Amino acid sequence: MDKRQITIKKDILNANREIACNIRGLLDKHQVRMINIMSSPGSGKTSLIMKTLDHFRDKYHIAVIEGDVASSIDADRITGMGIQAVQINTGGGCHLDALMIEKATGNIRLEQLDLIIVENVGNLVCTADFDLGAHKNVVILSIPEGDDKPHKYPLIFMEANIVLVNKIDVAPWFDFDLSSFPDVIRGLNPEAQLIAVSTKTGEGLDNWFSWVEGMLNNRGY
Ligand code: MG
Ligand code: ZN
């Protein structure tokens, strides 16, 4: 990148951050929390969201914003559960930005809502650059992707409040080093929590639900 490109990128990110701050302000006013779930394609974002909706649907009012390059497959799965979902198609764009979220939240009734779950576009690179106005960033890494990903894509792990290692049910068949992985994450981001889960078998999901519940109970109003 030359100097001019760097300046343009800075301007874009500054403008994005301003919108993101406005979104957070609006959500805070309505006592709504928003989480931004990021991962590669196929790591289990939609599966985690569906398990989370199943677990909390009788207790909290939740809406979902689905970001995808194309299609409404994920949003259809969510609305099929009777949960409000807003689809954003980026039309080739590889990440969500705050302006897209601002438009989507305009279609969600914030009164009486507790939580908005954003499923970002499957991408470990530039999704991390864009503040969406969420209160917490969630990063999922699945066992088949390999334990080297935090070294290759450090920024997204540095931006995470919590890292979920998903698909631990298939760990015996892969060389993912689960014993040293906590040190890898701590080295990049000492504040991040780390949970091992399987959205398929349900293992570890109680820890995730506790984290979500803790966040919702700690809205501080
Ligand atoms: Mg998905
Ligand atoms: Zn992108």
Side-chain angles (χ1 to χ4, degrees), residues 33-146:
R33 280 281 186 253
M34 184 159 85
I35 59 176
N36 171 25
I37 303 187
M38 297 178 281
S39 80
S40 305
S43 306
K45 292 185 293 304
T46 312
S47 302
L48 180 76
I49 290 169
M50 293 178 78
K51 293 280 182 185
T52 307
L53 295 173
D54 250 342
H55 185 80
F56 285 119
R57 61 181 305 158
D58 295 333
K59 190 162 185 189
Y60 296 114
H61 293 100
I62 307 176
V64 178
I65 298 174
E66 281 292 337
D68 278 295
V69 171
S71 92
S72 62
I73 293 169
D74 287 352
D76 293 345
R77 289 170 72 189
I78 305 295
T79 49
M81 298 176 70
I83 304 278
Q84 186 182 12
V86 178
Q87 179 76 51
I88 299 172
N89 280 142
T90 60
C94 46
H95 59 264
L96 294 177
D97 64 32
L99 193 59
M100 297 173 192
I101 297 296
E102 190 176 52
K103 282 184 190 152
T105 50
N107 289 314
I108 294 173
R109 285 196 47 203
L110 298 177
E111 294 78 17
Q112 295 178 355
L113 197 66
D114 297 298
L115 175 66
I116 298 176
I117 303 176
V118 178
E119 177 173 349
N120 214 313
V121 178
N123 176 352
L124 286 180
V125 187
C126 49
T127 48
D129 274 331
F130 289 83
D131 184 349
L132 300 184
H135 297 87
K136 301 285 180 190
N137 287 325
V138 180
V139 172
I140 306 176
L141 179 67
S142 64
I143 293 287
E145 294 170 72

Side-chain angles (χ1 to χ4, degrees), residues 11-47:
D11 288 348
I12 291 171
L13 290 181
N14 283 340
N16 182 78
R17 192 162 303 120
E18 204 168 298
I19 300 167
C21 287
N22 291 340
I23 295 169
R24 241 183 321 270
L26 179 71
L27 296 177
D28 286 346
K29 207 174 85 186
H30 289 92
Q31 306 184 13
V32 177
R33 280 281 186 253
M34 184 159 85
I35 59 176
N36 171 25
I37 303 187
M38 297 178 281
S39 80
S40 305
S43 306
K45 292 185 293 304
T46 312
S47 302

